[in-house]
Amino acid sequence: MKNLCLEKIFEAVYKKISEDLFKFLYYKYGPHDELDDVVQESFVKLWRNCQKVQPEKARGFLFKVAKNIMLNKFKHEKVVLNYQNNMLKNIEHETPEYLLEEAQFYQKYQQALSKLTDEQRVAFLLNKVEGKKHKEIAEMLNVTQKVVEYRIYTAFKIIKGEIKEFK
Amino acid sequence: MDQEKLLQKWLNDQLTETEKQAFEQLPDHNLNMKIIEAAKRFKAPDFPIDSKFKLLQYRLRNTHNKVRPMYFAWMYRVAAILVLALIAYFYIASNNVQIFTGNNDQKRVLLPDASLVILNQSSSLEYNSILWYFKRRIKMDGDAYFKVQKGSRFDVHTRHGVVSVIGTQFEVKSYMQLFEVKCFEGVVSVQTSQKNIILTHGEAVVARKDQIKKILMTQKQPQWLTNEIKYKSTPLAVVLHALKKHYGVKIVTKSVDTTKYYTGSLITDNLNLALEVITKAFGLKYYIDQTQKTVIISGQ
């Protein structure tokens, strides 16, 4: 019988879900120092309830618990995601005008991402950055695949609109 | 196919080859590509699963450890209570007092609360000198006279039942076939498997073969306590020694074999009578020298 109280099963569930949960929390709530801890805390709670939770229900349980922890711990503020400025490496080969334009572009992009709803941002970034399939995202968020596709599409449109305005 | 449809299909990775070519011809194709490309810059930090799992294991073990000391503390507590209970049990058990009297033997037993028991011959009693302070409870078999100090209930457990009193004087005889309780002072409750009888002073119950009768009596103390001491095959020397002590007299014997065995009683409230009973048994003569307080016993 499969049981989360067995360490092997629990470990498998952790390795399968922990990263997804972390990414989900990051894209939904933005960078917080405590996100790792929220993930761990959710799993601690899962371990304590290993008798009651079926392994196939673990994902839903973890996401719900993590969202509750976030709700209780943090005020939901505007999400500003950080971006990597690895352009700086090639700084000598680029013109100052180009670099300035790039910096402005990413700032604008950052603002655009902040303007998305949580749902749009999560779906868009999980798909385009993390390479998650629509089906996987649908499972993670407990919505249909069509909803995921629509969220990605609207997210893209909003970002594009913001960028175009800047151009 | 319109631009929006193409865009949607592109976002869903569902473009066919021809659609792909059409999509690439779109005027803002570069911007589309750049938006997707730029998104990757906003990638979430890595989540190192393996090391994080080790941390979680450590954390779970630590929470276990937080529980464990309490669990052990609880075990220690139980163990300590058990040890204390065992010590208390052995301490109390070691304070069990058993007293037996042989043939022709009587013993005065002073109980911890200064109640007095006089145990007649061939009897036994048992009590615990520690538990006594919580409950005055004594087990006896045979014949005993009790002078109970006032206080809590005083229970005498016999094979026939329980005799309970508060503060009084009473005698209990409890043998195989005989059960007798005489109350000399105060109130005594006699509880057998069949009946509960209350006795006041001057009353007695006698039970023989399942018949329990309440009777009145005239005596003020058990007969054996005052009138006589019974002897059974006891060397005459021992009996005479008891007589000497009891009456405070000197005894001189002339041609008397004091190694002979005596069976009978030593009357304790009349010297003349006592001497008469003893000398008759051996065919001896006696003379009391009142001035010297000396008794002379001689053979034929």
Side-chain angles (χ1 to χ4, degrees):
Chain A
M1 203 188 86
K2 271 197 163 189
N3 190 328
L4 279 172
C5 297
L6 298 171
E7 277 199 50
K8 277 255 164 72
I9 307 273
F10 185 76
E11 184 175 351
V13 167
Y14 186 90
K15 292 195 167 164
K16 199 174 147 201
I17 301 174
S18 62
E19 193 177 16
D20 286 356
L21 179 59
F22 174 77
K23 301 281 179 178
F24 164 78
L25 292 175
Y26 181 85
Y27 294 129
K28 185 172 167 76
Y29 298 102
H32 283 279
D33 290 340
E34 297 91 341
L35 289 185
D36 288 21
D37 209 49
V38 174
V39 173
Q40 301 291 61
E41 227 172 281
S42 307
F43 275 94
V44 168
K45 213 157 198 178
L46 180 68
W47 179 250
R48 292 218 178 104
N49 289 283
C50 67
Q51 300 273 15
K52 289 178 233 160
V53 183
Q54 301 287 318
E56 57 271 19
K57 296 276 166 74
R59 184 182 285 272
F61 180 87
L62 287 163
F63 274 66
K64 202 162 145 191
V65 167
K67 277 192 268 187
N68 277 329
I69 295 171
M70 292 304 297
L71 204 69
N72 292 325
K73 264 198 173 168
F74 305 105
K75 264 198 277 178
H76 199 15
E77 286 160 356
K78 201 169 103 169
V79 175
V80 182
L81 297 179
N82 302 325
Y83 58 91
Q84 296 156 301
N85 213 343
N86 51 7
M87 273 293 176
L88 289 172
K89 278 184 250 167
N90 306 324
I91 197 157
E92 291 147 41
H93 307 294
E94 309 292 348
T95 63
E97 289 79 16
Y98 175 78
L99 288 175
L100 183 68
E101 205 175 296
E102 280 292 293
Q104 283 175 333
F105 174 80
Y106 281 108
Q107 271 169 28
K108 198 70 202 168
Y109 206 118
Q110 191 178 40
Q111 282 171 31
L113 286 175
S114 296
K115 284 186 179 161
L116 300 179
T117 64
D118 294 348
E119 285 91 359
Q120 290 161 352
R121 189 171 53 249
V122 167
F124 180 73
L125 293 175
L126 281 177
N127 179 233
K128 296 306 170 196
V129 178
E130 300 298 332
K132 293 277 169 208
K133 300 251 164 15
H134 293 181
K135 198 181 158 201
E136 290 175 299
I137 298 167
E139 266 173 28
M140 224 187 273
L141 306 180
N142 202 21
V143 293
T144 63
Q145 226 167 299
K146 272 270 163 278
V147 170
V148 174
E149 282 169 17
Y150 182 71
R151 284 178 186 175
I152 293 170
Y153 172 70
T154 43
F156 184 85
K157 293 287 281 180
I158 290 167
I159 295 166
K160 197 172 172 183
E162 289 287 318
I163 303 276
K164 261 189 175 163
E165 199 179 295
F166 153 78
K167 284 246 155 145
Chain B
M1 193 175 282
D2 65 20
Q3 278 191 35
E4 289 307 298
K5 257 278 184 295
L6 278 176
L7 187 67
Q8 274 182 30
K9 282 201 150 187
W10 173 66
L11 285 170
N12 294 349
D13 291 320
Q14 286 167 338
L15 290 176
T16 61
E17 272 309 307
T18 45
E19 284 168 347
K20 205 172 175 184
Q21 280 170 14
F23 180 72
E24 279 165 10
Q25 297 308 313
L26 289 176
D28 47 5
H29 176 251
N30 281 343
L31 181 61
N32 287 342
M33 294 305 278
K34 193 168 187 193
I35 286 170
I36 299 301
E37 209 46 50
K40 297 197 166 82
R41 294 279 186 89
F42 292 90
K43 190 169 163 51
D46 283 340
F47 187 82
I49 300 173
D50 289 326
S51 62
K52 289 286 180 189
F53 184 68
K54 289 215 173 72
L55 282 173
L56 181 73
Q57 277 181 315
Y58 180 74
R59 183 167 161 179
L60 286 175
R61 262 183 222 124
N62 264 12
T63 48
H64 275 301
N65 283 344
K66 269 173 206 156
V67 176
R68 206 171 283 160
M70 283 180 63
Y71 171 72
F72 274 115
W74 182 76
M75 287 285 285
Y76 281 132
R77 228 168 282 166
V78 169
I81 287 166
L82 275 175
V83 167
L84 282 178
L86 228 69
I87 290 170
Y89 174 78
F90 282 116
Y91 180 63
I92 288 168
S94 73
N95 278 279
N96 230 29
V97 180
Q98 278 183 318
I99 291 158
F100 301 93
T101 53
N103 291 335
N104 308 315
D105 185 17
Q106 287 182 7
K107 272 182 187 159
R108 295 163 65 91
V109 180
L110 201 60
L111 297 171
D113 66 335
S115 292
L116 178 72
V117 184
I118 302 172
L119 203 56
N120 202 357
Q121 59 177 5
S122 304
S123 301
S124 69
L125 64 80
E126 188 183 339
Y127 66 95
N128 191 293
S129 60
I130 301 259
L131 296 179
W132 190 262
Y133 293 103
F134 303 101
K135 196 164 193 220
R136 298 200 294 178
R137 180 179 186 277
I138 196 162
K139 254 161 104 177
M140 77 76 90
D141 197 43
D143 191 2
Y145 170 68
F146 295 86
K147 238 176 151 166
V148 176
Q149 290 291 322
K150 286 201 162 56
S152 64
R153 210 177 130 112
F154 184 106
D155 288 342
V156 181
H157 289 252
T158 70
R159 66 174 87 219
H160 297 284
V162 183
V163 182
S164 305
V165 294
I166 302 277
T168 183
Q169 292 181 33
F170 64 102
E171 182 193 3
V172 179
K173 281 185 207 242
S174 170
Y175 295 106
M176 289 298 276
Q177 301 289 331
L178 167 69
F179 184 49
E180 220 178 270
V181 180
K182 293 175 181 169
C183 176
F184 300 101
E185 191 190 299
V187 180
V188 179
S189 141
V190 180
Q191 175 84 57
T192 69
S193 49
Q194 302 141 14
K195 258 187 182 173
N196 187 12
I197 301 167
I198 306 290
L199 297 180
T200 57
H201 70 281
E203 290 182 326
V205 308
V206 179
R208 277 189 182 83
K209 288 179 184 167
D210 298 339
Q211 280 191 309
I212 298 175
K213 263 199 298 188
K214 194 164 165 180
I215 56 167
L216 286 174
M217 54 173 194
T218 48
Q219 57 187 120
K220 293 256 165 67
Q221 266 191 320
Q223 220 177 1
W224 53 268
L225 209 61
T226 49
N227 281 348
E228 52 183 29
I229 303 165
K230 282 186 173 135
Y231 290 101
K232 217 173 176 181
S233 308
T234 310
L236 184 58
V238 174
V239 182
L240 291 179
H241 182 75
L243 187 139
K244 187 176 94 178
K245 281 251 167 164
H246 187 79
Y247 289 101
V249 294
K250 284 177 190 165
I251 291 176
V252 178
T253 54
K254 284 177 184 165
S255 53
V256 174
D257 182 3
T258 57
T259 58
K260 279 187 172 173
Y261 291 104
Y262 175 67
T263 298
S265 55
L266 168 61
I267 292 168
T268 51
D269 58 352
N270 188 324
L271 180 60
N272 263 309
L273 216 57
L275 286 166
E276 191 115 349
V277 170
I278 295 165
T279 52
K280 255 195 183 157
F282 294 100
L284 302 170
K285 283 180 176 169
Y286 73 93
Y287 170 74
I288 303 169
D289 186 340
Q290 293 287 356
T291 54
Q292 300 278 312
K293 285 211 162 186
T294 302
V295 174
I296 301 151
I297 301 170
S298 56
Q300 290 295 31

